Amino acid sequence: MLIQTFHTSECVPAAERAEGGSPDAAVVIDVLRATTTMAWALENGAEAIQAFADLETLKASAAAWPAEQRLTAGERGGARVEGFDLGNSPLGVTPELVRGKRIFMSTTNGTRSLDRVRDLPLLLTACLPNRTAVARRLIERGVQNVWIVGSGWEGAYSLEDTLAAGAVGAALMELAPAAGISVAAGNDEMVAALALWQQWGHDPEGCLRTASHGQRLERLGNHDADFQCCAALDTLTIVPMQAEPGVLKAS
Ligand code: 3SL
């Protein structure tokens, strides 16, 4: 399996210009906090997450869904969108609130990354809690060429997404040495992600708190519980998988 990572959706090349050609799968990462929240929402029984890059489209789609079966969730600049049911904390998507509900979600960066690769044949989301489960799913599905796409912050690099890209890459290498996991030629980003994981994998929470977005969240208020949840390793076996364009379901 050929693996490569891109720091943000803006770094993702046109498929025909990419090393190894068009990928058969993408894994989107937004450790703080969109993909962690998505995984926990599905773990806690949400029917699906419907992701939107844009708030107006989200509101129109949510309005067309039965009121008792929907929730709106999202943030801008780290704060809950005014009038929405939920923000973007994995602690907020409790079973009592989300069971059986479709969550119409938009975040500053994570849902934009999802949008960028939504036409690929297989689309998964990863976070630190499900990084081994994601690696397993890619192997089970016989994926040959995967793009691991970070979300960054408004087009800029994010340390925590690179850490998680390294965590998924390392899990792939541990689980499938015989399948020949190899880094795509020229993708220094994946080499750096694996090195970052080696350096900081023993203290993911320290990495998340050091990252610029971690610092941003700390400035917004106490996010200790979010940091602990987002930094937890392999606590989930659920993998959000795109079932139809923009709609993620548990797998
Ligand atoms: O950027 C995003 O998509 C969010 O995950 C950011 S936040 O952690 O909710 O502030």
Side-chain angles (χ1 to χ4, degrees), residues 30-35 75-79 87-89 106-112 151-153 213 216-217 220:
D30 185 2
V31 169
L32 289 174
R33 297 163 291 174
T35 56
E75 59 63 50
R76 285 295 180 270
N88 185 31
S89 166
S106 179
T107 67
T108 312
N109 306 285
T111 51
R112 280 210 335 245
S151 298
W153 186 265
H213 185 49
R216 182 178 295 109
L217 289 174
L220 285 170

Side-chain angles (χ1 to χ4, degrees), residues 203-220:
D203 180 20
E205 190 175 332
C207 181
L208 269 49
R209 285 180 183 274
T210 302
S212 56
H213 185 49
Q215 305 265 309
R216 182 178 295 109
L217 289 174
E218 286 191 348
R219 284 194 298 276
L220 285 170

Side-chain angles (χ1 to χ4, degrees), residues 1-247:
M1 187 192 307
L2 197 63
I3 59 174
Q4 50 195 317
T5 190
F6 303 101
H7 295 322
T8 64
S9 55
E10 290 83 356
C11 300
V12 171
E16 60 281 5
R17 289 213 312 272
E19 179 68 29
S22 185
D24 47 359
V27 174
V28 168
I29 295 177
D30 185 2
V31 169
L32 289 174
R33 297 163 291 174
T35 56
T36 311
T37 300
M38 288 170 183
W40 271 105
L42 292 174
E43 169 75 13
N44 287 340
E47 178 262 330
I49 311 286
Q50 190 159 350
F52 295 84
D54 160 73
L55 289 175
E56 294 317 310
T57 321
L58 180 157
K59 287 176 192 165
S61 298
W65 201 257
E68 65 289 358
Q69 290 166 30
R70 73 176 184 230
L71 289 170
T72 49
E75 59 63 50
R76 285 295 180 270
R80 178 195 297 212
V81 177
E82 211 185 311
F84 274 28
D85 301 308
L86 300 166
N88 185 31
S89 166
L91 280 305
V93 290
T94 60
E96 299 69 33
L97 283 175
V98 306
R99 190 170 294 123
K101 302 270 174 71
R102 176 163 294 212
I103 303 184
F104 294 82
M105 184 170 183
S106 179
T107 67
T108 312
N109 306 285
T111 51
R112 280 210 335 245
S113 286
L114 275 169
D115 206 44
R116 175 69 184 84
V117 286
R118 63 190 266 166
D119 293 332
L120 293 181
L122 178 67
L123 175 56
L124 310 177
T125 69
C127 52
L128 291 170
N130 73 356
R131 61 116 196 188
T132 299
V134 167
R136 260 201 198 101
R137 202 69 89 252
L138 292 170
I139 293 165
E140 284 161 11
R141 293 262 168 162
V143 167
Q144 295 300 311
N145 180 4
V146 61
W147 285 358
I148 303 176
V149 182
S151 298
W153 186 265
E154 296 182 338
Y157 175 84
S158 258
L159 188 67
E160 70 279 13
D161 291 347
T162 304
L163 182 78
V168 172
L172 280 168
M173 286 168 176
E174 278 156 30
L175 288 171
I181 307 294
S182 56
V183 176
N187 191 240
D188 288 352
E189 294 91 328
M190 192 72 227
V191 177
L194 290 165
L196 186 66
W197 177 248
Q198 251 182 12
Q199 169 73 20
W200 230 329
H202 70 284
D203 180 20
E205 190 175 332
C207 181
L208 269 49
R209 285 180 183 274
T210 302
S212 56
H213 185 49
Q215 305 265 309
R216 182 178 295 109
L217 289 174
E218 286 191 348
R219 284 194 298 276
L220 285 170
N222 183 336
H223 283 83
D224 287 351
D226 283 47
F227 281 117
Q228 281 160 24
C229 179
C230 293
L233 262 193
D234 296 329
T235 49
L236 291 175
T237 54
I238 205 155
V239 176
M241 183 183 290
Q242 183 170 261
E244 57 189 271
V247 178

